[in-house]
Amino acid sequence: MKIVLLGSGNLATQTGRALKMAGQNILQVWSRQPENAFQLADLLHVPAAKSLAEIDRTADLYIIAVTDDAIKEVATSLNITDKIIVHTSGSTDLSILEGASDKIGVFYPLQTFTKNKSVDFRQIPIGIEANTAEVLNAIRSLAERLSENVIDMDSHKRRTLHVAAVFACNFTNHLWVLAQELLKESNQDFNLLRPLIAETAANVQLTNPINLQTGPAVRNDEEVLNKHLHLLEGNLNLHELYHKLSQSIVKFDKPV
Amino acid sequence: MKIVLLGSGNLATQTGRALKMAGQNILQVWSRQPENAFQLADLLHVPAAKSLAEIDRTADLYIIAVTDDAIKEVATSLNITDKIIVHTSGSTDLSILEGASDKIGVFYPLQTFTKNKSVDFRQIPIGIEANTAEVLNAIRSLAERLSENVIDMDSHKRRTLHVAAVFACNFTNHLWVLAQELLKESNQDFNLLRPLIAETAANVQLTNPINLQTGPAVRNDEEVLNKHLHLLEGNLNLHELYHKLSQSIVKFDKPV
């Protein structure tokens, strides 16, 4: 499959790497920031397109991995009607590509990507969707070369999954930011929490999280909850989040 | 060191295992629930005390690993004045043991424990505190046989660390509970999130979380934030937490 990759962010970079490792033929990369396109082109040993006008029209697949608000514009600018165009966004409906081509789809790898760290793409769930069975099969065929975990997923399911991922990854990471802030106030090191974080995440690989809930809230231990809230009185944001999250646990979880 | 272990919960169980593996001499275990004491005694191949009256008075160290609200009562009931008594609670001051013995301290292993899964105690931070230098040294000497990560920690620091651990572990796990709830509503499997969770936790072992923040909130991507809030309108709890946590990220994190 001949592929053009549009975008140069974390997702574009790691998807490009995975495509190359799977032996796919990337004809070009393009980015709104030409210097980023050249950087990614260097990394992947492929040519860069300096402008949308230079995009190779002979590819089979155009992967749009740009910010959500730019997808429509980039897709339309391609002026391609008979090749497959996919986007990679969790929160964007397939329909945003309507009119850009007769063959449209979604290729959504669910992972948190950074530019510099490779990930094991084989384990990453890839949600796919398309406007025809033929296009879906073409996307599936490519996705299965990268991952063992390819799933048909309509736009509503994909969006729900994206929100769940925000809770599971972005908000989780932010709780660690807050925990580090709190430790700094008493001159303690974040390293103290790293074994705890590793164990917490390892446990949930094997069991559902509802079975792993520990801490004062799930025990409804009001004495400890009040001590903690008292300690956080100087930090309104932490105090409010502690209260809201504890309430959510009390309402939600059965004790283990 | 001759040790009596009081308590039979997750922390008592895993601490007992670690003490045995380090070759320590556990004279007895005791629990308010005698059947639990017998179960733990079986696991550790040590005798169980059926009541506090049966506690062996010849130990060097009494480790109280019971719920916070029972520590004082258990400590006082021991009727021991010249042996070391420690508790294992993150949120309880050392001073709660005053009057129970002349030699008091804290032995606080920071980890999320379950009864059935052994953990690598060598990596677990153990915060220690005592009322005299001599007692502190005795506790340190024991702790260093279990862990490479023993830290002097006064009651205020320990309490702060405990609150940070609630954010880093208990609240984190609850976010995964909420993510699973959301996926269930659209008939999707929690397995979709497991590689993401593993990667999120692996990344923070190497870098500070502030450098790893991704997602719509840190990009201040109001279009996606509003789409997500719209999708959560049917679930007040998720909607409110999504809003509060996103606000906290917007206020707090610099974009990466």
Side-chain angles (χ1 to χ4, degrees):
Chain A
M1 217 171 198
K2 292 181 290 182
I3 300 169
V4 169
L5 180 58
L6 302 120
S8 60
N10 299 343
L11 189 148
T13 300
Q14 296 305 336
T15 302
R17 278 185 156 168
L19 288 168
K20 283 291 279 189
M21 276 181 61
Q24 298 301 307
N25 183 6
I26 303 179
L27 296 186
Q28 279 178 331
V29 297
W30 167 89
S31 167
R32 274 175 298 176
Q33 292 83 37
E35 64 275 28
N36 292 352
F38 284 110
Q39 210 176 340
L40 181 55
D42 264 4
L43 182 78
L44 302 177
H45 304 292
V46 300
K50 282 195 280 293
S51 69
L52 283 168
E54 282 186 22
I55 295 286
D56 192 319
R57 312 267 147 181
T58 67
D60 305 300
L61 173 68
Y62 296 79
I63 300 178
I64 301 180
V66 301
T67 53
D68 291 7
D69 57 359
I71 294 171
K72 194 176 183 67
E73 189 194 333
V74 170
T76 311
S77 306
L78 290 174
N79 282 318
I80 287 162
T81 56
D82 57 343
K83 308 298 177 61
I84 303 176
I85 301 179
V86 298
H87 74 66
T88 58
S89 161
S91 287
T92 307
D93 284 4
L94 170 62
S95 61
I96 202 169
L97 295 176
E98 281 171 8
S101 167
D102 297 335
K103 302 177 178 178
I104 58 175
V106 179
F107 175 98
Y108 174 54
L110 177 67
Q111 186 51 282
T112 177
F113 296 108
T114 55
K115 275 199 186 173
N116 299 319
K117 183 173 174 246
S118 289
V119 289
D120 178 8
F121 235 89
R122 307 291 316 158
Q123 307 305 319
I124 296 178
I126 302 180
I128 60 170
E129 185 182 8
N131 67 331
T132 71
E134 185 196 2
V135 174
L136 188 64
N137 282 336
I139 298 171
R140 188 193 325 278
S141 167
L142 176 72
E144 286 180 347
R145 285 166 190 264
L146 307 190
S147 169
E148 294 161 6
N149 201 357
V150 178
I151 304 126
D152 287 3
M153 197 180 285
D154 64 29
S155 291
H156 176 73
K157 281 194 171 180
R158 189 171 62 252
R159 186 179 299 183
T160 307
L161 178 58
H162 189 213
V163 179
V166 167
F167 277 89
C169 167
N170 306 150
F171 290 165
T172 291
N173 187 75
H174 183 61
L175 292 182
W176 300 338
V177 170
L178 297 176
Q180 182 167 32
E181 178 198 17
L182 190 55
L183 290 182
K184 270 184 195 157
E185 284 173 13
S186 65
N187 204 21
Q188 296 187 87
D189 198 292
F190 187 69
N191 265 331
L192 288 167
L193 296 176
R194 287 196 163 103
L196 177 67
I197 288 170
E199 182 78 2
T200 304
N203 286 346
V204 86
Q205 298 299 318
L206 309 168
T207 315
N208 283 331
I210 191 83
N211 302 319
L212 295 167
Q213 193 64 50
T214 56
V218 75
R219 297 194 307 268
N220 214 347
D221 186 338
E222 288 189 16
E223 192 184 326
V224 172
L225 291 172
N226 287 332
K227 277 185 191 176
H228 286 180
L229 286 168
H230 179 68
L231 186 141
L232 296 173
E233 266 169 8
N235 188 321
L236 280 180
N237 187 42
L238 284 177
H239 189 275
E240 186 181 22
L241 285 172
Y242 188 99
H243 181 63
K244 295 285 178 200
L245 286 161
S246 293
Q247 272 193 321
S248 181
I249 292 174
V250 169
K251 279 186 289 188
F252 206 97
D253 289 332
K254 57 180 193 300
V256 291
Chain B
M1 216 174 198
K2 292 182 290 183
I3 299 168
V4 169
L5 180 59
L6 301 121
S8 60
N10 299 344
L11 188 148
T13 301
Q14 296 306 335
T15 303
R17 279 184 155 169
L19 289 168
K20 283 292 278 190
M21 276 181 62
Q24 297 302 306
N25 183 6
I26 302 179
L27 296 185
Q28 278 179 330
V29 297
W30 167 89
S31 166
R32 275 174 298 177
Q33 292 82 35
E35 64 274 29
N36 291 352
F38 284 110
Q39 209 176 339
L40 181 55
D42 265 4
L43 182 78
L44 301 178
H45 305 292
V46 300
K50 280 196 282 293
S51 69
L52 283 169
E54 281 186 22
I55 295 286
D56 191 318
R57 311 269 148 179
T58 67
D60 306 300
L61 173 68
Y62 296 80
I63 299 178
I64 301 181
V66 300
T67 52
D68 290 7
D69 57 0
I71 293 170
K72 194 176 182 66
E73 190 194 333
V74 170
T76 312
S77 306
L78 289 174
N79 281 320
I80 286 162
T81 55
D82 57 343
K83 308 297 178 61
I84 302 175
I85 302 179
V86 298
H87 74 66
T88 58
S89 162
S91 287
T92 308
D93 283 4
L94 170 63
S95 61
I96 203 169
L97 296 176
E98 282 171 7
S101 167
D102 298 334
K103 301 177 179 178
I104 58 175
V106 179
F107 175 98
Y108 174 54
L110 177 67
Q111 188 49 284
T112 178
F113 296 109
T114 55
K115 273 199 188 173
N116 298 321
K117 182 172 175 247
S118 290
V119 288
D120 179 7
F121 235 89
R122 306 291 316 158
Q123 307 305 319
I124 297 178
I126 302 180
I128 60 170
E129 185 183 8
N131 68 330
T132 71
E134 185 196 1
V135 174
L136 188 64
N137 283 336
I139 298 170
R140 189 194 325 277
S141 166
L142 177 71
E144 286 179 348
R145 286 166 190 264
L146 307 189
S147 168
E148 294 161 6
N149 200 357
V150 178
I151 303 125
D152 287 4
M153 198 179 285
D154 64 29
S155 291
H156 175 72
K157 280 194 173 181
R158 189 171 61 254
R159 186 179 297 184
T160 307
L161 178 58
H162 189 215
V163 179
V166 168
F167 277 88
C169 168
N170 305 149
F171 290 166
T172 290
N173 187 76
H174 182 61
L175 292 182
W176 300 337
V177 170
L178 297 176
Q180 183 167 30
E181 178 198 16
L182 190 56
L183 289 182
K184 270 184 195 153
E185 284 173 13
S186 64
N187 203 22
Q188 297 187 86
D189 198 290
F190 187 69
N191 265 331
L192 289 168
L193 295 176
R194 287 195 162 104
L196 177 66
I197 289 170
E199 181 77 1
T200 304
N203 287 345
V204 86
Q205 298 298 317
L206 308 169
T207 315
N208 283 331
I210 191 82
N211 302 319
L212 295 166
Q213 192 64 49
T214 56
V218 76
R219 296 195 306 269
N220 214 347
D221 185 339
E222 288 189 15
E223 192 183 326
V224 172
L225 290 172
N226 287 332
K227 277 186 190 175
H228 286 179
L229 286 168
H230 179 69
L231 186 141
L232 296 172
E233 267 169 7
N235 188 321
L236 280 182
N237 187 41
L238 284 177
H239 189 276
E240 186 182 20
L241 285 172
Y242 188 99
H243 181 63
K244 296 284 179 199
L245 286 161
S246 293
Q247 273 193 321
S248 180
I249 291 173
V250 169
K251 279 185 290 188
F252 206 97
D253 290 332
K254 57 180 191 304
V256 290

